[in-house]
Structure formats: structure tokens, C-alpha cells
Amino acid sequence: MSSYIDETYDIYDETWRRAIKPHVCEACERCIAKGERYARIFILFNGEKEALVRCVGCQTIHEHLRTLDPGEMWPDERLNCGEEYTKHWDKEPPPLIAALAFATPDEAELIRFRTAAWTQFRYARRAWWTP
Ligand SMILES: [Zn+2]
């Protein structure tokens, strides 16, 4: 599902944008229509630059995956690891995260809004309990 972290990106810059022209999500390959929000990711790693875009649903999945083993695992940037969530994490994905796979852009925005609270709660909880 992800890569073990043994190195870190030199730059990892994630920004939210609203499309002024169509883009293609580089994770699910869905067309991001004009007017839709999307995440643009700029990466600098070992002198190599890379920029990619993810739709709201894929960005939300990516952010969720980061919470599963923070500091140890980092999700594939295109969510293209070839592994199944259930097999890798030995549990089902949360229902809202699973629903993102088939969500329309509007539904993905709604799911993102609903999942943000518990994602931040998980982060906060880990930070609180981590010595
Ligand atoms: Zn996508």
C-alpha cells in the first residue's frame, strides 16, 4: 500500500486549487473538471522534481493512509501500490473512505468534510500520547 520511510522528500508541497481547465487525477485517472477542487503536489527528491494532481477523493484517501502508520509508512503518490487495504492493514477501510472509490466529485467533497474531523482527531491523539 505504501513505502517504508527510510528517506524523506527534500520538498513536499501540497496545495489546494480550483481547476481553471480540466486536469486528470494521477491516482484514479478521472477527469477533474473545470471548477472542481484538486490537490497539486510538488515533490523534490534527490534533485528530481515531480508535480502531480489528485482529485478530492484520492487526496482524502492519501491523507487517510498517512494516518495508519505515521512516521513509518507513506502512501504511494498515485495510490498505485498494488496492495489491497484489507490484506495490508488486516481490517476493512472505514466506510466513508471505502465510499470514496465510487463517489462523485460532490460526494467526495462531502466525505472529505465528514472525515476531516476524525482524521485530525487521530493525529491529535497520536501527538498527545507520543512521548
Ligand atoms: Zn482521483
Side-chain angles (χ1 to χ4, degrees), residues 17-26 30-40 52-54:
R17 297 183 177 193
R18 193 163 295 277
I20 55 172
K21 63 181 177 90
H23 293 274
V24 174
C25 171
E26 293 181 51
R30 184 180 67 72
C31 179
I32 298 166
K34 187 177 166 185
E36 248 182 75
R37 282 194 331 139
Y38 69 97
R40 181 188 180 274
L52 65 143
V53 300
R54 282 194 290 257

Side-chain angles (χ1 to χ4, degrees), residues 25-30 54-59:
C25 171
E26 293 181 51
C28 70
E29 300 180 348
R30 184 180 67 72
R54 282 194 290 257
C55 68
V56 171
C58 291
Q59 179 65 18

Side-chain angles (χ1 to χ4, degrees), residues 3-129:
S3 312
Y4 283 102
I5 296 173
D6 50 8
E7 294 178 288
T8 54
Y9 295 131
D10 300 310
I11 296 175
Y12 189 85
D13 183 45
E14 227 168 36
T15 52
W16 282 101
R17 297 183 177 193
R18 193 163 295 277
I20 55 172
K21 63 181 177 90
H23 293 274
V24 174
C25 171
E26 293 181 51
C28 70
E29 300 180 348
R30 184 180 67 72
C31 179
I32 298 166
K34 187 177 166 185
E36 248 182 75
R37 282 194 331 139
Y38 69 97
R40 181 188 180 274
I41 297 92
F42 174 80
I43 298 167
L44 181 65
F45 180 63
N46 286 341
E48 299 279 320
K49 287 188 267 186
E50 184 182 10
L52 65 143
V53 300
R54 282 194 290 257
C55 68
V56 171
C58 291
Q59 179 65 18
T60 304
I61 291 170
H62 200 273
E63 291 174 18
H64 165 72
L65 293 172
R66 295 176 203 170
T67 66
L68 297 175
D69 198 1
E72 297 297 323
M73 300 285 273
W74 186 259
D76 183 271
E77 297 303 338
R78 289 171 176 79
L79 302 175
N80 189 23
C81 61
E83 290 189 54
E84 286 179 40
Y85 190 105
T86 311
K87 284 185 185 161
H88 188 88
W89 299 106
D90 202 24
K91 62 182 177 185
E92 294 293 326
L96 285 175
I97 295 297
L100 283 169
F102 305 102
T104 65
D106 285 346
E107 290 166 343
E109 285 282 5
L110 193 62
I111 290 170
R112 178 172 179 80
F113 180 78
R114 291 190 57 192
T115 56
W118 63 258
T119 300
Q120 287 160 13
F121 173 73
R122 282 181 59 112
Y123 270 125
R125 213 169 120 207
R126 277 197 88 91
W128 179 262
W129 291 109

